Amino acid sequence: MQVKLYSLLRQAAGVKMLEVEHHRGTTIHEVLLEVTQRYPILAKFIWNDQGGQSKSVHVFVNGENIHHLAGLDTVLNSEDHVDIFPPVAGG
């Protein structure tokens, strides 16, 4: 499964894209855990102090925000693609 990082996350990890192994029933939570295990520097962006998803990072599956799906419990298919965006600021 393809996971793309954007902007500050891409700079922090030093990679634009990574492949994460998919198994039947894999959730977005499991994918995010894999990403932060491979690139621990990303944990401070993706997880909050309670271990949940940070409100400032945006995670999309096939272009749809996971908050409009089943959140961290969203079950993924092998052909899905995941995009992770850092907080956006500006005016």
Side-chain angles (χ1 to χ4, degrees):
M1 169 177 305
Q2 186 180 80
V3 178
K4 287 186 182 177
L5 303 174
Y6 292 86
S7 187
L8 179 63
L9 301 176
R10 183 180 290 173
Q11 292 172 358
V15 297
K16 176 181 179 178
M17 182 183 349
L18 60 145
E19 289 290 326
V20 175
E21 193 170 328
H22 176 272
H23 302 283
R24 184 178 175 100
T26 297
T27 65
I28 193 66
H29 184 255
E30 293 167 320
V31 168
L32 294 176
L33 284 174
E34 174 70 24
V35 168
T36 55
Q37 286 172 350
R38 286 192 203 176
Y39 301 96
I41 194 164
L42 298 180
K44 67 182 180 182
F45 299 104
I46 294 176
W47 306 116
N48 62 29
D49 293 339
Q50 292 76 39
Q53 180 193 346
S54 170
K55 293 184 191 248
S56 63
V57 73
H58 301 283
V59 181
F60 292 82
V61 175
N62 302 326
E64 190 163 356
N65 193 312
I66 64 168
H67 295 296
H68 301 290
L69 302 170
L72 292 175
D73 294 327
T74 301
V75 176
L76 302 168
N77 296 308
S78 60
E79 66 275 0
D80 289 341
H81 62 272
V82 175
D83 299 298
I84 307 173
F85 293 89
V88 178

